[in-house]
PDB file of all heavy atoms in Angstrom:
ATOM      1  N   GLY A   7     106.188 101.809 128.006  1.00  0.00           N
ATOM      2  CA  GLY A   7     106.357 101.395 126.604  1.00  0.00           C
ATOM      3  C   GLY A   7     105.159 100.638 126.016  1.00  0.00           C
ATOM      4  O   GLY A   7     105.214 100.252 124.880  1.00  0.00           O
ATOM      5  N   ALA A  12      98.407  99.829 119.760  1.00  0.00           N
ATOM      6  CA  ALA A  12      99.420  99.410 118.748  1.00  0.00           C
ATOM      7  C   ALA A  12      99.146  98.008 118.281  1.00  0.00           C
ATOM      8  O   ALA A  12      98.846  97.105 119.130  1.00  0.00           O
ATOM      9  CB  ALA A  12     100.818  99.482 119.395  1.00  0.00           C
ATOM     10  N   GLU A  42      81.337  91.914 131.509  1.00  0.00           N
ATOM     11  CA  GLU A  42      82.762  91.756 131.257  1.00  0.00           C
ATOM     12  C   GLU A  42      83.174  92.573 130.037  1.00  0.00           C
ATOM     13  O   GLU A  42      84.323  93.139 130.029  1.00  0.00           O
ATOM     14  CB  GLU A  42      83.087  90.268 131.073  1.00  0.00           C
ATOM     15  CG  GLU A  42      84.628  90.036 131.093  1.00  0.00           C
ATOM     16  CD  GLU A  42      84.968  88.569 131.199  1.00  0.00           C
ATOM     17  OE1 GLU A  42      84.080  87.777 131.510  1.00  0.00           O
ATOM     18  OE2 GLU A  42      86.164  88.204 130.903  1.00  0.00           O
ATOM     19  N   LEU A  68      95.865  92.954 127.167  1.00  0.00           N
ATOM     20  CA  LEU A  68      95.678  92.489 125.815  1.00  0.00           C
ATOM     21  C   LEU A  68      94.417  91.745 125.687  1.00  0.00           C
ATOM     22  O   LEU A  68      93.706  91.831 124.634  1.00  0.00           O
ATOM     23  CB  LEU A  68      96.859  91.620 125.376  1.00  0.00           C
ATOM     24  CG  LEU A  68      98.203  92.375 125.188  1.00  0.00           C
ATOM     25  CD1 LEU A  68      99.333  91.369 124.898  1.00  0.00           C
ATOM     26  CD2 LEU A  68      98.078  93.417 124.081  1.00  0.00           C
ATOM     27  N   ILE A  89      74.436  89.930 116.971  1.00  0.00           N
ATOM     28  CA  ILE A  89      74.321  89.246 115.684  1.00  0.00           C
ATOM     29  C   ILE A  89      75.232  89.878 114.660  1.00  0.00           C
ATOM     30  O   ILE A  89      75.754  89.178 113.768  1.00  0.00           O
ATOM     31  CB  ILE A  89      72.838  89.279 115.233  1.00  0.00           C
ATOM     32  CG1 ILE A  89      71.957  88.464 116.185  1.00  0.00           C
ATOM     33  CG2 ILE A  89      72.688  88.719 113.813  1.00  0.00           C
ATOM     34  CD1 ILE A  89      70.471  88.501 115.850  1.00  0.00           C
ATOM     35  N   PRO A 114      60.011  76.551  98.251  1.00  0.00           N
ATOM     36  CA  PRO A 114      59.723  77.155  99.544  1.00  0.00           C
ATOM     37  C   PRO A 114      60.916  77.144 100.488  1.00  0.00           C
ATOM     38  O   PRO A 114      61.195  78.145 101.152  1.00  0.00           O
ATOM     39  CB  PRO A 114      58.596  76.254 100.101  1.00  0.00           C
ATOM     40  CG  PRO A 114      57.932  75.699  98.910  1.00  0.00           C
ATOM     41  CD  PRO A 114      59.001  75.499  97.909  1.00  0.00           C
ATOM     42  N   VAL A 116      64.139  77.061  99.583  1.00  0.00           N
ATOM     43  CA  VAL A 116      65.099  78.003  99.070  1.00  0.00           C
ATOM     44  C   VAL A 116      64.717  79.435  99.438  1.00  0.00           C
ATOM     45  O   VAL A 116      65.535  80.228  99.892  1.00  0.00           O
ATOM     46  CB  VAL A 116      65.193  77.857  97.502  1.00  0.00           C
ATOM     47  CG1 VAL A 116      65.985  79.033  96.896  1.00  0.00           C
ATOM     48  CG2 VAL A 116      65.832  76.550  97.127  1.00  0.00           C
ATOM     49  N   ASN A 136      81.347 101.731 107.830  1.00  0.00           N
ATOM     50  CA  ASN A 136      82.232 102.802 108.309  1.00  0.00           C
ATOM     51  C   ASN A 136      81.350 103.792 109.102  1.00  0.00           C
ATOM     52  O   ASN A 136      80.322 104.213 108.556  1.00  0.00           O
ATOM     53  CB  ASN A 136      82.889 103.474 107.157  1.00  0.00           C
ATOM     54  CG  ASN A 136      83.736 104.696 107.546  1.00  0.00           C
ATOM     55  OD1 ASN A 136      83.268 105.702 108.044  1.00  0.00           O
ATOM     56  ND2 ASN A 136      85.089 104.568 107.363  1.00  0.00           N
ATOM     57  N   ALA A 167      68.269  93.432  98.073  1.00  0.00           N
ATOM     58  CA  ALA A 167      69.261  92.291  98.204  1.00  0.00           C
ATOM     59  C   ALA A 167      68.477  90.978  98.357  1.00  0.00           C
ATOM     60  O   ALA A 167      68.870  89.980  97.780  1.00  0.00           O
ATOM     61  CB  ALA A 167      70.138  92.552  99.423  1.00  0.00           C
ATOM     62  N   THR A 168      67.420  90.964  99.174  1.00  0.00           N
ATOM     63  CA  THR A 168      66.683  89.759  99.337  1.00  0.00           C
ATOM     64  C   THR A 168      66.028  89.318  98.018  1.00  0.00           C
ATOM     65  O   THR A 168      66.032  88.139  97.685  1.00  0.00           O
ATOM     66  CB  THR A 168      65.598  89.926 100.392  1.00  0.00           C
ATOM     67  OG1 THR A 168      66.203  90.414 101.613  1.00  0.00           O
ATOM     68  CG2 THR A 168      64.802  88.661 100.662  1.00  0.00           C
ATOM     69  N   THR A 169      65.487  90.255  97.254  1.00  0.00           N
ATOM     70  CA  THR A 169      64.927  89.889  95.981  1.00  0.00           C
ATOM     71  C   THR A 169      65.925  89.354  95.033  1.00  0.00           C
ATOM     72  O   THR A 169      65.675  88.365  94.337  1.00  0.00           O
ATOM     73  CB  THR A 169      64.217  91.150  95.372  1.00  0.00           C
ATOM     74  OG1 THR A 169      63.248  91.657  96.276  1.00  0.00           O
ATOM     75  CG2 THR A 169      63.564  90.815  94.049  1.00  0.00           C
ATOM     76  N   ALA A 171      68.689  87.746  95.797  1.00  0.00           N
ATOM     77  CA  ALA A 171      69.059  86.408  96.218  1.00  0.00           C
ATOM     78  C   ALA A 171      67.969  85.404  95.864  1.00  0.00           C
ATOM     79  O   ALA A 171      68.246  84.325  95.341  1.00  0.00           O
ATOM     80  CB  ALA A 171      69.284  86.414  97.744  1.00  0.00           C
ATOM     81  N   ALA A 173      65.617  85.667  93.543  1.00  0.00           N
ATOM     82  CA  ALA A 173      65.488  85.530  92.073  1.00  0.00           C
ATOM     83  C   ALA A 173      66.568  84.663  91.558  1.00  0.00           C
ATOM     84  O   ALA A 173      66.339  83.778  90.737  1.00  0.00           O
ATOM     85  CB  ALA A 173      65.506  86.918  91.404  1.00  0.00           C
ATOM     86  N   ASN A 202      75.397  89.476  97.788  1.00  0.00           N
ATOM     87  CA  ASN A 202      76.424  90.291  98.424  1.00  0.00           C
ATOM     88  C   ASN A 202      76.810  91.483  97.560  1.00  0.00           C
ATOM     89  O   ASN A 202      77.169  92.569  98.080  1.00  0.00           O
ATOM     90  CB  ASN A 202      77.662  89.416  98.704  1.00  0.00           C
ATOM     91  CG  ASN A 202      77.656  88.747 100.047  1.00  0.00           C
ATOM     92  OD1 ASN A 202      77.213  89.356 100.992  1.00  0.00           O
ATOM     93  ND2 ASN A 202      78.127  87.528 100.130  1.00  0.00           N
ATOM     94  N   GLN A 212      74.820 105.241 102.169  1.00  0.00           N
ATOM     95  CA  GLN A 212      75.068 106.589 102.701  1.00  0.00           C
ATOM     96  C   GLN A 212      76.510 106.952 102.631  1.00  0.00           C
ATOM     97  O   GLN A 212      76.891 108.144 102.451  1.00  0.00           O
ATOM     98  CB  GLN A 212      74.573 106.645 104.172  1.00  0.00           C
ATOM     99  CG  GLN A 212      73.059 106.742 104.342  1.00  0.00           C
ATOM    100  CD  GLN A 212      72.538 108.034 103.707  1.00  0.00           C
ATOM    101  OE1 GLN A 212      73.069 109.150 104.008  1.00  0.00           O
ATOM    102  NE2 GLN A 212      71.542 107.956 102.926  1.00  0.00           N
ATOM    103  N   ILE A 239      84.073  99.519 100.155  1.00  0.00           N
ATOM    104  CA  ILE A 239      82.922  98.682  99.985  1.00  0.00           C
ATOM    105  C   ILE A 239      83.191  97.564  98.988  1.00  0.00           C
ATOM    106  O   ILE A 239      82.848  96.393  99.217  1.00  0.00           O
ATOM    107  CB  ILE A 239      81.664  99.476  99.583  1.00  0.00           C
ATOM    108  CG1 ILE A 239      81.238 100.334 100.729  1.00  0.00           C
ATOM    109  CG2 ILE A 239      80.544  98.538  99.113  1.00  0.00           C
ATOM    110  CD1 ILE A 239      80.149 101.346 100.379  1.00  0.00           C
ATOM    111  N   ARG A 246      83.583  89.147 101.611  1.00  0.00           N
ATOM    112  CA  ARG A 246      82.429  88.377 101.997  1.00  0.00           C
ATOM    113  C   ARG A 246      82.194  87.168 101.094  1.00  0.00           C
ATOM    114  O   ARG A 246      81.823  86.091 101.548  1.00  0.00           O
ATOM    115  CB  ARG A 246      81.198  89.249 101.997  1.00  0.00           C
ATOM    116  CG  ARG A 246      81.216  90.282 103.078  1.00  0.00           C
ATOM    117  CD  ARG A 246      81.117  89.685 104.500  1.00  0.00           C
ATOM    118  NE  ARG A 246      81.104  90.773 105.490  1.00  0.00           N
ATOM    119  CZ  ARG A 246      80.005  91.422 105.774  1.00  0.00           C
ATOM    120  NH1 ARG A 246      78.874  91.115 105.185  1.00  0.00           N
ATOM    121  NH2 ARG A 246      80.064  92.401 106.658  1.00  0.00           N
ATOM    122  N   LEU A 257      82.057  71.972 100.196  1.00  0.00           N
ATOM    123  CA  LEU A 257      81.171  71.097 100.978  1.00  0.00           C
ATOM    124  C   LEU A 257      80.145  70.355 100.164  1.00  0.00           C
ATOM    125  O   LEU A 257      79.866  69.171 100.421  1.00  0.00           O
ATOM    126  CB  LEU A 257      80.523  71.923 102.072  1.00  0.00           C
ATOM    127  CG  LEU A 257      79.669  71.166 103.085  1.00  0.00           C
ATOM    128  CD1 LEU A 257      80.467  70.028 103.711  1.00  0.00           C
ATOM    129  CD2 LEU A 257      79.210  72.092 104.210  1.00  0.00           C
ATOM    130  N   PRO A 258      79.505  70.993  99.159  1.00  0.00           N
ATOM    131  CA  PRO A 258      78.554  70.197  98.319  1.00  0.00           C
ATOM    132  C   PRO A 258      79.231  69.018  97.619  1.00  0.00           C
ATOM    133  O   PRO A 258      78.576  67.949  97.449  1.00  0.00           O
ATOM    134  CB  PRO A 258      78.124  71.242  97.269  1.00  0.00           C
ATOM    135  CG  PRO A 258      78.184  72.556  98.010  1.00  0.00           C
ATOM    136  CD  PRO A 258      79.428  72.433  98.872  1.00  0.00           C
ATOM    137  N   LEU A 276      70.469  63.069 110.042  1.00  0.00           N
ATOM    138  CA  LEU A 276      71.691  63.710 110.546  1.00  0.00           C
ATOM    139  C   LEU A 276      72.415  64.508 109.445  1.00  0.00           C
ATOM    140  O   LEU A 276      73.458  65.104 109.782  1.00  0.00           O
ATOM    141  CB  LEU A 276      72.643  62.670 111.132  1.00  0.00           C
ATOM    142  CG  LEU A 276      72.128  61.912 112.334  1.00  0.00           C
ATOM    143  CD1 LEU A 276      73.116  60.899 112.837  1.00  0.00           C
ATOM    144  CD2 LEU A 276      71.733  62.897 113.480  1.00  0.00           C
ATOM    145  N   LEU A 283      77.856  71.466 111.018  1.00  0.00           N
ATOM    146  CA  LEU A 283      79.161  71.334 111.701  1.00  0.00           C
ATOM    147  C   LEU A 283      80.329  71.503 110.692  1.00  0.00           C
ATOM    148  O   LEU A 283      81.310  72.178 110.999  1.00  0.00           O
ATOM    149  CB  LEU A 283      79.271  69.958 112.365  1.00  0.00           C
ATOM    150  CG  LEU A 283      78.392  69.762 113.595  1.00  0.00           C
ATOM    151  CD1 LEU A 283      78.437  68.308 114.059  1.00  0.00           C
ATOM    152  CD2 LEU A 283      78.819  70.710 114.683  1.00  0.00           C
ATOM    153  N   CYS A 285      80.240  73.224 107.938  1.00  0.00           N
ATOM    154  CA  CYS A 285      80.285  74.663 107.577  1.00  0.00           C
ATOM    155  C   CYS A 285      81.027  75.465 108.680  1.00  0.00           C
ATOM    156  O   CYS A 285      81.810  76.372 108.378  1.00  0.00           O
ATOM    157  CB  CYS A 285      78.843  75.233 107.453  1.00  0.00           C
ATOM    158  SG  CYS A 285      78.041  74.807 105.899  1.00  0.00           S
ATOM    159  N   GLY A 286      80.791  75.059 109.950  1.00  0.00           N
ATOM    160  CA  GLY A 286      81.474  75.745 111.033  1.00  0.00           C
ATOM    161  C   GLY A 286      82.965  75.543 110.911  1.00  0.00           C
ATOM    162  O   GLY A 286      83.752  76.478 111.215  1.00  0.00           O
ATOM    163  N   LEU A 306      94.308 105.252  99.990  1.00  0.00           N
ATOM    164  CA  LEU A 306      94.000 105.710  98.617  1.00  0.00           C
ATOM    165  C   LEU A 306      94.930 106.826  98.228  1.00  0.00           C
ATOM    166  O   LEU A 306      95.145 107.767  99.002  1.00  0.00           O
ATOM    167  CB  LEU A 306      92.523 106.217  98.541  1.00  0.00           C
ATOM    168  CG  LEU A 306      91.943 106.519  97.181  1.00  0.00           C
ATOM    169  CD1 LEU A 306      91.851 105.241  96.337  1.00  0.00           C
ATOM    170  CD2 LEU A 306      90.575 107.180  97.306  1.00  0.00           C
ATOM    171  N   LYS A 322      96.178 122.982 101.455  1.00  0.00           N
ATOM    172  CA  LYS A 322      96.506 123.088 102.896  1.00  0.00           C
ATOM    173  C   LYS A 322      97.860 122.431 103.253  1.00  0.00           C
ATOM    174  O   LYS A 322      98.582 122.892 104.178  1.00  0.00           O
ATOM    175  CB  LYS A 322      95.418 122.418 103.737  1.00  0.00           C
ATOM    176  CG  LYS A 322      94.092 123.136 103.674  1.00  0.00           C
ATOM    177  CD  LYS A 322      93.061 122.440 104.563  1.00  0.00           C
ATOM    178  CE  LYS A 322      91.726 123.131 104.513  1.00  0.00           C
ATOM    179  NZ  LYS A 322      90.699 122.433 105.313  1.00  0.00           N
TER     180      LYS A 322
END
Side-chain angles (χ1 to χ4, degrees):
E42 190 169 345
L68 290 174
I89 295 176
V116 168
N136 177 293
T168 303
T169 302
N202 269 323
Q212 282 297 311
I239 290 171
R246 292 294 182 80
L257 186 53
L276 297 179
L283 289 175
C285 282
L306 188 66
K322 292 180 180 178

